[in-house]
Amino acid sequence: MHGIAPVPTYVVMQPTTLCNLDCAYCYLPFRSDDRKMPAEVASAVAGAVNGWAASRRFSVVWHGGEPLAAGREHFAALLAPFDRGVEHHVQTNATLIDDRWCEFFATHEVRVSVSVDGPRDRNAERVTRGGRPSYDSVMRGVEALRRHGIGFSALCVVAQPEPGLATELYEYFLDLGCDVLGINIEELEGVNARSNARDPAAVAGFWSELVGAWRRDPRIHVREVEWSLRYAAAVLDGTADDVLPKQLDPIPTIGYDGSVVLLSPELAGFTDPRYADFTSGNVLTSPLPDIIAGAALGTPWVAEFLAGVEACRATCPYFGFCGGAHAANRYFEHGRFDGTETDHCRNSKIHLLEGVLDHARDHAPPAA
């Protein structure tokens, strides 16, 4: 992986900054403000996206705030400029999903991912703005999806890995009925200043246990497990160098106002005396492909980040697995972009791979 690819595989769009929940670990600024994306911003992005999608699979990920807080009518106006070949995904807390939203998803062919952290007692930090539990509202939204036969993914945040938790969560999500499960160990980033330093053995044990739970009943895809197994298989057959893309995906995040932040959506909305507002341009004044092409030269923090990626390549034995620490994690943990290993690396990359390999060793058949 050298440099930034000129064409992304997906873009992230912020239809509104507003979120109706106030989760304790949320990294987003301005989530109490209702700033909606104008339709002109969506049209400007669609100009590039429609061209990219004409020759390859391409996704637009709608991520707030809570995207559904934009309202159906406004959301439909934002979707309108995109061609039918573009895949649309929405990351939602599900509390606003009802029959009419399900009809909207079906009509516009929007794929749904639900944020939920497991059974009721595991969702204690996902509360309303009034501090009340959100779990019952989430479940009403999930029931609506089931009622309409709309498949969905799930995204779970784990604050504190501990023995038994991985099995509990996996069995819960099997019963929930999701197709794909992604698990994030809580991260120190954005406005969430809680430390994400975790006991290495506990984190590796969590991932190892998750592999075991998945192997016993692999009816759903588990993002982290399957990626790790794919990498391990590539190492064994000598193709590990082909696992990562040749260049970094720019992952353009389009803010509600058209501003573009590359590489890490979590940097959107933040400023720093050294780096200004982390943006590389605005789609209302510059075409998105031009913004991506000029990022390395025109955005100082991006150049610093690329130097950090090279430092990871030179020093970290796990580079072939992760491709270097994520930009936002470097910044929020180290205060700059050219540092290397982060607690996020340890929790979600290094100890993940260690846990998968520990499980493989513990369950390997005896030697003949």
Side-chain angles (χ1 to χ4, degrees):
M1 294 195 357
H2 294 276
I4 299 174
V7 177
T9 57
Y10 65 100
V11 300
V12 180
M13 301 276 282
Q14 184 182 49
T16 177
T17 58
L18 181 66
C19 187
N20 59 325
L21 298 188
D22 192 21
C23 303
Y25 51 71
C26 184
Y27 65 86
L28 291 168
F30 313 127
R31 63 183 184 270
S32 62
D33 298 339
D34 187 7
R35 306 178 186 180
K36 288 186 175 68
M37 175 180 283
E40 292 79 8
V41 171
S43 294
V45 176
V49 166
N50 290 339
W52 291 329
S55 58
R56 58 188 289 186
R57 181 179 179 183
F58 199 92
S59 299
V60 174
V61 179
W62 299 91
H63 196 309
E66 166 51 48
L68 306 192
R72 281 182 295 276
E73 183 176 346
H74 188 67
F75 207 156
L78 297 179
L79 292 172
F82 294 93
D83 290 345
R84 297 290 290 184
V86 177
E87 290 185 6
H88 291 281
H89 302 250
V90 62
Q91 186 66 46
T92 174
N93 61 38
T95 60
L96 301 177
I97 295 177
D98 56 13
D99 291 334
R100 293 183 65 192
W101 269 114
C102 289
E103 292 165 2
F104 180 96
F105 298 146
T107 298
H108 295 279
E109 299 180 345
V110 176
R111 304 181 185 200
V112 179
S113 179
V114 172
S115 298
V116 58
D117 295 342
R120 182 184 301 274
D121 61 338
R122 299 291 182 185
N123 276 268
E125 296 193 310
R126 298 185 60 79
V127 297
T128 67
R129 298 222 149 264
R132 299 179 64 83
S134 65
Y135 188 75
D136 288 341
S137 296
V138 174
M139 289 302 102
R140 282 194 292 271
V142 170
E143 286 299 327
L145 293 171
R146 290 169 170 167
R147 194 163 56 245
H148 287 262
I150 296 174
F152 62 96
S153 303
L155 184 62
C156 170
V157 173
V158 171
Q160 192 62 53
E162 58 187 11
L165 176 58
T167 300
E168 176 189 348
L169 290 176
Y170 186 75
E171 292 176 351
Y172 171 84
F173 285 104
L174 276 178
D175 290 341
L176 193 69
C178 63
D179 303 316
V180 180
L181 171 62
I183 293 184
N184 293 340
I185 305 295
E186 182 182 340
E187 302 172 38
L188 185 163
E189 61 184 3
V191 298
N192 178 25
R194 304 194 308 191
S195 172
N196 62 337
R198 299 288 184 267
D199 175 63
V203 177
F206 171 85
W207 292 119
S208 178
E209 182 184 324
L210 183 63
V211 177
W214 173 77
R215 287 188 64 198
R216 287 190 293 273
D217 192 357
R219 281 182 287 142
I220 60 177
H221 297 284
V222 180
R223 181 184 63 186
E224 290 74 19
V225 169
E226 295 186 16
W227 166 249
S228 302
L229 293 175
R230 191 178 307 121
Y231 176 74
V235 171
L236 291 174
D237 66 19
T239 61
D241 289 345
D242 298 327
V243 172
L244 293 175
K246 300 305 180 185
Q247 293 179 297
L248 290 163
D249 194 323
I251 317 175
T253 296
I254 319 301
Y256 75 95
D257 59 354
S259 58
V260 180
V261 172
L262 301 179
L263 298 167
S264 278
E266 298 84 359
L267 291 170
F270 291 93
T271 60
D272 181 274
R274 289 186 61 211
Y275 310 108
D277 60 4
F278 300 107
T279 64
S280 294
N282 191 297
V283 295
L284 294 177
T285 56
S286 301
L288 184 55
D290 292 353
I291 293 173
I292 295 172
L297 295 176
T299 311
W301 76 262
V302 173
E304 185 176 292
F305 168 71
L306 292 176
V309 171
E310 293 308 309
C312 284
R313 187 195 311 276
T315 61
C316 182
Y318 293 87
F319 182 84
F321 177 58
C322 79
H326 295 173
N329 298 113
R330 292 175 193 259
Y331 173 72
F332 288 114
E333 291 193 32
H334 296 321
R336 54 186 302 115
F337 292 95
D338 53 4
T340 53
E341 189 173 311
T342 64
D343 282 326
H344 175 261
C345 289
R346 300 181 188 101
N347 294 335
S348 299
K349 302 295 182 181
I350 295 173
H351 301 322
L352 165 61
L353 188 57
E354 290 174 345
V356 171
L357 296 177
D358 286 346
H359 177 86
R361 282 189 291 266
D362 292 344
H363 293 82

